[in-house]
């Protein structure tokens, strides 16, 4: 596991938590795919909330010099995918998250325990 990727994953989770994202999860997928090391999965309460979560991650990371490689789904805002290279952020509405069930699809991935992570 890449330490920088792990730290950025936690930073993204904090940003999403600060903006009241629901059902935050982080999966280590680095041993299962070459696409990314981590998936961050979150839900918003509406398409407006999903967009605001995406905007907040973009803005706060850009302030630190971290730019997104690619974004998909922003206009429909039912599932926004943000590609940060070693980290892919998935922000869903509840219905879309239930429908696509990434946690089930990537069931062999190691879930990062957030119990001991303090979001101040």
């Amino acid at each position: 596991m890449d330490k920088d990727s792990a730290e950025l994953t936690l930073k993204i989770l904090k940003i999403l938590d600060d903006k009241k994202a629901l059902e935050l999860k982080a999966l280590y997928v680095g041993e299962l795919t070459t696409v990314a090391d981590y998936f961050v999965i979150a839900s918003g309460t509406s398409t407006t909330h999903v967009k605001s979560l995406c905007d907040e991650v973009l803005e706060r990371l850009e302030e630190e010099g971290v730019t997104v490689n690619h974004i998909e789904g922003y206009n429909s805002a039912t599932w926004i995918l943000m590609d940060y290279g070693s980290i892919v952020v998935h922000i869903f509405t509840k219905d879309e998250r239930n429908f696509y069930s990434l946690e089930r699809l990537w069931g062999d991935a190691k879930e990062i325990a957030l119990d001991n992570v303090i979001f101040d």
Side-chain angles (χ1 to χ4, degrees):
M1 288 187 222
D2 181 296
K3 184 180 177 203
D4 291 339
S5 294
E7 288 176 8
L8 185 57
T9 297
L10 291 177
K11 192 170 289 192
I12 291 167
L13 288 163
K14 168 126 177 56
I15 292 167
L16 290 167
D17 185 61
D18 288 349
K19 200 73 173 167
K20 308 294 185 220
L22 305 174
E23 300 178 67
L24 286 170
K25 287 201 177 174
L27 303 177
Y28 177 68
V29 296
E31 295 173 353
L32 304 173
T33 183
T34 58
V35 172
D37 289 335
Y38 294 93
F39 283 173
V40 172
I41 306 171
S43 297
T45 57
S46 65
T47 55
T48 303
H49 189 211
V50 168
K51 280 185 176 181
S52 73
L53 291 168
C54 175
D55 293 341
E56 189 74 6
V57 171
L58 277 173
E59 183 179 313
R60 300 250 316 261
L61 291 184
E62 281 179 1
E63 288 171 358
E64 297 187 26
V66 179
T67 56
V68 68
N69 295 330
H70 184 72
I71 296 176
E72 291 183 27
Y74 187 86
N75 290 333
S76 67
T78 57
W79 176 5
I80 297 177
L81 180 146
M82 306 172 75
D83 177 5
Y84 282 97
S86 61
I87 303 160
V88 177
V89 181
H90 302 270
I91 308 171
F92 291 96
T93 58
K94 183 179 178 183
D95 289 343
E96 289 292 292
R97 184 168 179 172
N98 288 339
F99 181 79
Y100 287 102
S101 188
L102 289 187
E103 295 94 333
R104 184 183 52 76
L105 288 174
W106 292 92
D108 292 339
K110 178 183 174 195
E111 185 171 344
I112 306 304
L114 301 180
D115 302 350
N116 298 324
V117 177
I118 298 171
F119 296 124
D120 299 329

